[in-house]
Amino acid sequence: MSSSSSPVQLELKAPPYPLDALEPYMSQKTLEFHWGKHHRGYVDNLNKQIVGTDLHGLTLEEIIVKSYNNGNPLPTFNNAAQAWFSIWNHDFFWSSMKPGGGGRPSGLVLELIEREFGSVEALLNEFKQAALTQFGSGWAWLGYKDGKIVVEKTANAVNPLVADYHPLLTVDVWEHAYYLDYQNRRPDFVSTFIENLLSWDAVSERLEEAIAKAA
Amino acid sequence: MAFCALVSKKALGSALRSGAADLGSGLCQIRRLQTFSLPDLSYDYGALEPAISGEIMKIHHQKHHQAYITNYNKALEQLDEAIQKGDTSKVVGLQSAIKFNGGGHINHSIFWKNLAPTNEGGGEPPKGALGWAIDADFGSFEALVQKMSSEGAALQGSGWVWLALDKELKKVRIETTANQLQSSMSCCSTLPGENFTGPPGDKGATSGSLLGIDVWEHAYYLQYKNVRPDYLKNIWKVINWKHASDAFDGEAA
């Protein structure tokens, strides 16, 4: 990703659609703050932190794993790790959604879901429950592990790169992700995400990559 | 929460001894399942403006705090049922919901009393014993405010920043807690204004916590968006130091 003598300077990646493209389910105003302030803030913060340190030269994934340190985040890396995790999670979140999202999965995704959960509805119900029972800030995930689709949830900025599953989909359940549009109504936000924003195309692509990696 | 632990302990104990066969009769004599309700604010929703908007206060109180209470009551009902059935794994499984929702009820009940409109003393720095203690332990009131604001701003995710009395060391200290955990210096607390007793040796209402500031995003997002530091700069204008002083005088006695 970079040579060991130059710091890793991250760029803020834009979502793969204009900021108003997810209306009315996720407002342009939310995207302007969530991407334009929160996500941008993590990138700026991290770039400030890594100047002159030995964090440069590692890949993003290597830094995350190293900083997480199997559940005991190293104090010196803690702030940097939070920023790294958060940047990765938000990039992944934007591309977990698309305008005209929702609908149903097909192909191998559908097959694996039905095999493991019985039905798409059962899977989505479990995913929704994970999102609603993540007390405080965090994320709910669909992942791929040992040939199966799994549902997981993580707190704050923790992400699956330190766990043992390949992420396929995520929803951000920090309050800033939905407060302007839904206020306290996290259940409404998560239902809307599932029905109108979720990109099954992204899930399929990521599943193919995960299977290829696992092979 | 202390009450529920007492009930659970007894229930588990007798369940283990009797094989859960006669759980009901032993419990009926001590069990009184209480339902909790939303405490009123002593000021109007708009009374803390412009520091905190009326819109935020209304949603925070009527939606967020109410949801903690509703879910706490539900968890207690489920706990009661699980105890009656001797379902130990269900009892254990409910603890996180009880801790989270009960904790949310405790913390928010404290928070409303930590705020006051400016025309009712909100923002006026503490005088007397608490004022002196702050000067002794932080150098000045301004230094305390600055430190508490910066610790609140630095908290990752959701949580609270507290000013609490460490009774052993006889010092006031700043502490942050994640999600709905209580300050570590409050122990076995009864919920303010509610009448139930905990285990022997219970210290009574919210011992140790003098002041808490909610830094969950719901506490400020509609008004301050991502700029938590601005919320923390402005909230001092409506902090009820009289309540904190009274708590300090009570605890330090």
Side-chain angles (χ1 to χ4, degrees):
Chain A
M1 191 174 181
S2 68
S3 73
S4 57
S5 59
S6 64
V8 173
Q9 289 291 327
L10 284 188
E11 304 280 329
L12 174 66
K13 267 190 269 182
Y17 36 74
L19 297 188
D20 63 352
L22 302 182
E23 294 256 11
Y25 310 109
M26 185 177 286
S27 64
Q28 175 176 347
K29 193 170 178 195
T30 289
L31 267 288
E32 282 170 356
F33 279 99
H34 198 177
W35 174 75
K37 303 283 184 189
H38 290 270
H39 192 177
R40 184 184 300 279
Y42 294 127
V43 173
D44 292 346
N45 184 21
L46 181 63
N47 282 334
K48 264 193 239 140
Q49 286 189 54
I50 61 176
V51 165
T53 73
D54 60 357
L55 285 180
H56 64 253
L58 301 181
T59 64
L60 177 57
E61 286 77 8
E62 283 169 346
I63 297 229
I64 287 174
V65 173
K66 184 172 173 171
S67 304
Y68 187 65
N69 193 32
N70 292 314
N72 284 307
L74 303 174
T76 48
F77 288 115
N78 198 31
N79 280 333
Q82 290 284 337
W84 281 113
F85 286 147
S86 300
I87 293 164
W88 194 97
N89 291 357
H90 283 87
D91 285 340
F92 198 77
F93 178 49
W94 306 132
S95 49
S96 290
M97 297 185 287
K98 66 174 201 180
R104 290 179 62 81
S106 57
L108 184 58
V109 174
L110 179 60
E111 199 185 303
L112 289 182
I113 288 174
E114 286 181 334
R115 191 190 306 166
E116 191 58 33
F117 294 88
S119 67
V120 174
E121 289 65 38
L123 163 72
L124 291 176
N125 201 48
E126 201 169 309
F127 179 72
K128 184 170 180 181
Q129 283 316 302
L132 298 186
T133 58
Q134 179 46 50
F135 294 149
S137 307
W139 305 75
W141 305 86
L142 289 186
Y144 177 72
K145 180 185 167 178
D146 299 332
K148 298 184 180 151
I149 296 213
V150 296
V151 173
E152 300 282 351
K153 58 187 183 187
T154 58
N156 292 350
V158 178
N159 83 8
L161 294 173
V162 301
D164 52 358
Y165 59 96
H166 298 270
L168 302 178
L169 179 84
T170 195
V171 64
D172 186 350
V173 291
W174 283 62
E175 287 176 326
H176 65 240
Y178 56 89
Y179 215 81
L180 296 180
D181 296 333
Y182 298 90
Q183 292 81 60
N184 58 299
R185 301 182 322 272
R186 192 192 285 189
D188 288 350
F189 165 61
V190 176
S191 294
T192 304
F193 171 85
I194 287 171
E195 286 157 30
N196 303 105
L197 295 172
L198 190 165
S199 170
W200 287 113
D201 294 337
V203 174
S204 290
E205 270 172 43
R206 290 156 176 178
L207 179 63
E208 273 180 44
E209 286 166 15
I211 289 172
K213 236 186 190 171
Chain B
M1 264 166 52
F3 171 75
C4 296
L6 171 68
V7 174
S8 297
K9 252 201 217 166
K10 282 204 167 192
L12 287 173
S14 73
L16 290 169
R17 282 192 298 276
S18 69
D22 56 4
L23 201 52
S25 59
L27 270 184
C28 285
Q29 286 155 17
I30 55 160
R31 179 170 58 86
R32 36 186 200 285
L33 186 63
Q34 192 161 354
T35 304
F36 296 91
S37 55
L38 187 66
D40 289 331
L41 306 190
S42 60
Y43 42 80
D44 292 338
Y45 290 130
L48 305 182
E49 295 199 349
I52 307 179
S53 73
E55 185 187 22
I56 285 183
M57 289 303 293
K58 186 174 181 185
I59 296 175
H60 202 172
H61 183 240
Q62 288 186 4
K63 304 290 181 188
H64 290 275
H65 189 173
Q66 179 63 66
Y68 288 121
I69 290 170
T70 302
N71 291 327
Y72 179 49
N73 284 333
K74 206 181 337 175
L76 290 180
E77 249 183 75
Q78 290 172 340
L79 178 70
D80 194 52
E81 209 181 286
I83 290 169
Q84 295 223 41
K85 293 186 181 149
D87 187 346
T88 306
S89 58
K90 178 93 184 174
V91 167
V92 169
L94 283 166
Q95 298 311 306
S96 67
I98 287 171
K99 193 169 181 178
F100 179 68
N101 290 296
H105 178 32
I106 290 174
N107 289 346
H108 285 85
S109 299
I110 296 170
F111 187 49
W112 310 133
K113 293 186 205 267
N114 288 158
L115 302 171
T118 49
N119 61 6
E120 291 174 29
E124 275 175 33
K127 302 172 182 53
L130 177 56
W132 304 328
I134 288 172
D135 287 346
D137 297 331
F138 291 93
S140 68
F141 176 71
E142 290 70 29
L144 164 74
V145 164
Q146 216 253 338
K147 191 161 201 289
M148 213 162 147
S149 298
S150 77
E151 295 211 17
L155 188 148
Q156 309 237 8
S158 309
W160 293 75
V161 57
W162 303 95
L163 180 68
L165 172 63
D166 185 329
K167 293 207 262 194
E168 262 185 54
L169 299 178
K170 297 202 192 331
K171 283 181 174 291
V172 283
R173 274 181 42 187
I174 295 172
E175 187 185 16
T176 55
T177 58
N179 295 341
Q180 294 300 349
L181 294 177
Q182 283 75 65
S183 156
S184 66
M185 282 162 278
S186 74
C187 162
C188 317
S189 36
T190 59
L191 293 167
E194 308 212 32
N195 297 314
F196 70 91
T197 55
D202 183 42
K203 295 180 177 69
T206 51
S207 44
S209 307
L210 303 174
L211 170 66
I213 298 179
D214 189 350
V215 293
W216 279 64
E217 287 172 328
H218 65 241
Y220 60 87
Y221 207 79
L222 293 179
Q223 184 175 358
Y224 294 97
K225 311 293 188 301
N226 57 301
V227 194
R228 192 193 282 178
D230 280 359
Y231 160 68
L232 288 167
K233 197 160 56 178
N234 284 294
I235 198 170
W236 297 105
K237 298 171 188 166
V238 289
I239 289 291
N240 182 359
W241 283 107
K242 174 147 195 339
H243 180 82
S245 287
D246 290 347
F248 179 83
D249 293 341
E251 296 303 337

